[in-house]
Amino acid sequence: MSHGLGRRLAVIFNPVAGRRRPGLVEQVMAAATAAGAVVSLHTTDAAGHATSIARDLARSDTADVIVAAGGDGTINEVVNGMAASGVAEPPPLGMVPLGTANVLAHELSAMGDARRIGERLALAPAQVVHAGLANGRLFTMMAGTGLDARVVADIDPVLKRRIGKGAYALGGLQQILANPGLDYRVTLTAPDGTVSRHRAASCILCKGHFYAGTFVLAPDVRLGQPVLHAVLFTRPGRLAAMTYASAMTLGLLRGRRDVLVLPAIAARIEGPDGEPVQGDGDVIARLPVDISIWSGKLRVVGGA
């Protein structure tokens, strides 16, 4: 780095997410500073603010790493801001995991105590990952429609802050009992160009193998590969939905004949127009949706 300083970390902090692990951001910043980094703090004050901060930071060339201090939604905002900057190779992404699920941090083994996180941000090399794209918006871990997207769309943010993952479990139960009879038409393009068509009660396109924390949906997909794995839950109805939820919790999804896991480089999901599409735990699009691999370059500082 020609500026003659340690690595410059620009921390974009979501204080709402920060309530889950109070004091962690300050401790991480102190640890990173002790490891030689130069740290600046940028606090968000509304939804979408992290995107504009990240876009401006990427354009300003004042940060060597842009750090998302929040949950998966904050990371998603930051990544989209960096992509919107127009910079050919924006700074790498760093993470201080403060959210409910922290799926990307688990995927990259980027969890840990404040000292470990701070030292990694200050010193660890960056690795290239391949993000996904849903109707023009980036996601890092997963995008999908069906039961989980409806839960995300209807989640009570106050309840989420209060009971964390329990809010998703409660929302899932409410959606199952409502039994909306979900039915989606999914067109997949495989890595070899083969096109296949499917019907599903829920469909999730995975970029990483973890889901909702450390549950595993697509065991063989990895962030470093430019491919998605489509997870298709083919049986409709309340009983099927409860069976799928139980099987996921117990790690028993693999091998089920009514759950298809198919590699894809692109997907189109159709169903009732306007149905929500969740990406990284937030609604990022509405049906119909086209999902593919982003052609840009995303680098991430993290991992053990």
Side-chain angles (χ1 to χ4, degrees), residues 65-135:
V65 178
I66 297 176
V67 181
D72 293 304
T74 305
I75 291 170
N76 185 278
E77 283 197 24
V78 168
V79 168
N80 277 278
M82 292 195 293
S85 70
V87 176
E89 190 169 305
L93 169 74
M95 290 169 288
V96 181
L98 301 172
T100 306
N102 300 307
V103 187
L104 181 62
H106 282 297
E107 188 81 14
L108 292 168
S109 301
M111 302 295 287
D113 60 26
R115 183 183 60 81
R116 287 185 61 199
I117 295 171
E119 289 178 352
R120 274 199 300 259
L121 292 173
L123 302 169
Q127 56 186 298
V128 175
V129 302
H130 293 274
L133 199 62
N135 281 3

Side-chain angles (χ1 to χ4, degrees), residues 20 56 69 83 104 126 139 141 148 154 158 169 171 195 206 266 273 293:
R20 305 199 65 79
D56 294 344
L104 181 62
F139 62 92
M141 285 298 298
D148 72 330
D154 291 344
V158 175
V195 175
C206 297
D273 285 352
I293 301 294

Side-chain angles (χ1 to χ4, degrees), residues 32-74:
T33 301
V38 178
V39 186
S40 61
L41 180 64
H42 309 261
T43 303
T44 66
D45 56 23
H49 194 195
T51 297
S52 60
I53 295 173
R55 183 191 62 228
D56 294 344
L57 283 168
R59 289 174 177 170
S60 70
D61 194 28
T62 58
D64 299 310
V65 178
I66 297 176
V67 181
D72 293 304
T74 305

Side-chain angles (χ1 to χ4, degrees), residues 6 12 29 32 35 72 95 121 138 177 181 195 200 238 244 249:
I12 301 175
M29 291 172 61
D72 293 304
M95 290 169 288
L121 292 173
L138 268 65
L177 293 176
V195 175
R238 289 192 186 98
Y244 290 142
T249 304

Side-chain angles (χ1 to χ4, degrees), residues 10-27:
V11 179
I12 301 175
F13 172 45
N14 176 358
V16 175
R19 295 175 192 171
R20 305 199 65 79
R21 300 181 73 179
L24 181 65
V25 170
E26 292 82 359
Q27 295 163 18

Side-chain angles (χ1 to χ4, degrees), residues 78-297:
V78 168
V79 168
N80 277 278
M82 292 195 293
S85 70
V87 176
E89 190 169 305
L93 169 74
M95 290 169 288
V96 181
L98 301 172
T100 306
N102 300 307
V103 187
L104 181 62
H106 282 297
E107 188 81 14
L108 292 168
S109 301
M111 302 295 287
D113 60 26
R115 183 183 60 81
R116 287 185 61 199
I117 295 171
E119 289 178 352
R120 274 199 300 259
L121 292 173
L123 302 169
Q127 56 186 298
V128 175
V129 302
H130 293 274
L133 199 62
N135 281 3
R137 185 172 176 88
L138 268 65
F139 62 92
T140 60
M141 285 298 298
M142 87 291 288
T145 194
L147 183 67
D148 72 330
R150 287 192 166 196
V151 171
V152 166
D154 291 344
I155 200 80
D156 180 345
V158 175
L159 191 65
K160 179 182 172 183
R161 287 197 293 271
R162 188 173 298 157
I163 64 173
K165 290 183 183 178
Y168 290 100
L170 184 61
L173 183 60
Q174 290 170 339
Q175 289 293 337
I176 289 170
L177 293 176
N179 192 28
L182 307 176
D183 183 23
Y184 303 101
R185 301 179 301 282
V186 183
T187 304
L188 300 176
T189 303
D192 66 0
T194 304
V195 175
S196 60
R197 292 174 175 81
H198 311 267
R199 300 295 284 266
S202 282
C203 174
I204 301 172
L205 277 296
C206 297
K207 268 305 294 133
H209 72 299
F210 282 145
Y211 172 84
T214 54
F215 299 122
V216 176
L217 276 192
D220 300 322
V221 71
R222 291 296 180 270
L223 288 170
Q225 302 168 344
V227 67
L228 299 151
H229 280 202
V231 183
L232 304 170
F233 298 88
T234 61
R235 282 176 52 213
R238 289 192 186 98
L239 179 60
M242 294 182 76
T243 301
Y244 290 142
S246 300
M248 183 184 74
T249 304
L250 298 171
L252 299 175
L253 279 179
R254 192 166 198 169
R256 290 187 63 94
R257 292 182 180 179
D258 54 358
V259 180
L260 303 178
V261 182
L262 303 171
I265 54 171
R268 181 173 176 83
I269 306 174
E270 296 172 290
D273 285 352
E275 275 272 315
V277 178
Q278 72 92 1
D280 298 336
D282 283 314
V283 175
I284 62 169
R286 299 278 174 175
L287 290 186
V289 64
D290 290 294
I291 297 174
S292 60
I293 301 294
W294 184 47
S295 60
K297 186 175 183 180

